[in-house]
Amino acid sequence: GVSGTAELYERLMSQEKDEKNNQHVMPLQIGDYVPDFIGQSTNGEIDFHAAIDGSWSLVYICPRSFEAVASSDLASLAKMSEEFTTKKVRRCAVCCDTIHSIEKWKKDIQELFDCQIDFPLVSDLDGHIARDYGLVRYGEDTRKSLAVRALIPASLLVLADPDRRIQLILQYSQTTGHNFEEL
């Protein structure tokens, strides 16, 4: 109803404070700067803003490794590598799991889908990247429990321009895959 929509809008637009960090929690919007992060990846340590400097960038975030939809999404991203490279789009995927688990998952995807994942898969075990991208439920503290328990059950795709400004945000239920050809 109208009141439910108004309530949701009020919640999203209000500047709720994260009690532990005393930071404002606001949803990402078109035109915002894409959040930066440093993390361990399957390609070594990554400083995201340095890695995408002057290029279009795509960040794909999923809650867990070894999930069927996320696996097929990553395989699709890998199989379209030439198209993304031609268009100078740097890709990166983030998962709330250990780097060891993510490396095994990468090998499984490459074998099952007959593809080569040439972009970094970043470990976000404590959920700090997912929080910055808006995938942690309001009021949840990822330090008190496993980060995946505090996440919204969704995958997120963010496309940013060479100035690091967000141009596209797609958030889908974990059960729905992204259409990378349309993207």
Side-chain angles (χ1 to χ4, degrees):
V2 174
S3 65
T5 302
E7 213 172 273
L8 176 62
Y9 180 79
E10 179 67 29
R11 189 182 91 206
L12 291 175
M13 297 312 295
S14 69
Q15 293 188 347
E16 296 185 28
K17 290 202 174 191
D18 176 331
E19 294 172 11
K20 285 285 184 191
N21 298 323
N22 199 27
Q23 295 176 345
H24 293 289
V25 178
M26 293 290 292
L28 291 178
Q29 296 180 353
I30 303 300
D32 288 350
Y33 285 104
V34 67
D36 191 14
F37 56 85
I38 295 173
Q40 287 301 318
S41 83
T42 53
N43 296 8
E45 186 173 274
I46 182 173
D47 178 335
F48 182 63
H49 273 191
I52 65 168
D53 192 36
S55 299
W56 282 85
S57 62
L58 183 148
V59 179
Y60 173 82
I61 303 176
C62 61
R64 294 180 183 96
S65 57
F66 296 98
E67 291 190 347
V69 174
S71 297
S72 63
D73 278 352
L74 291 179
S76 293
L77 270 174
K79 288 181 177 186
M80 295 180 72
S81 182
E82 188 176 319
E83 290 182 59
F84 284 109
T85 301
T86 300
K87 293 178 172 103
K88 296 180 173 71
V89 178
R90 303 232 172 121
R91 293 157 294 146
C92 176
V94 177
C95 181
C96 290
D97 210 336
T98 66
I99 192 65
H100 176 73
S101 182
I102 292 170
E103 286 171 345
K104 181 169 178 2
W105 183 37
K106 175 183 173 179
K107 288 178 187 174
D108 286 355
I109 292 169
Q110 291 177 145
E111 183 180 320
L112 288 169
F113 292 93
D114 191 28
C115 63
Q116 184 63 37
I117 298 175
D118 60 353
F119 51 90
L121 305 181
V122 181
S123 171
D124 184 26
L125 192 56
D126 66 0
H128 73 277
I129 300 170
R131 177 179 298 283
D132 289 347
Y133 278 79
L135 280 180
V136 174
R137 289 185 188 94
Y138 288 104
E140 291 285 337
D141 184 356
T142 57
R143 293 169 294 196
K144 290 183 180 176
S145 64
L146 290 174
V148 294
R149 292 185 185 154
L151 297 178
I152 295 168
S155 65
L156 180 73
L157 190 141
V158 175
L159 183 68
D161 66 22
D163 294 325
R164 299 183 186 137
R165 296 236 181 225
I166 296 172
Q167 297 299 319
L168 175 74
I169 301 170
L170 296 174
Q171 183 177 351
Y172 291 177
S173 158
Q174 281 180 278
T175 59
T176 305
H178 292 269
N179 182 340
F180 293 101
E181 289 183 20
E182 179 183 19
L183 175 69

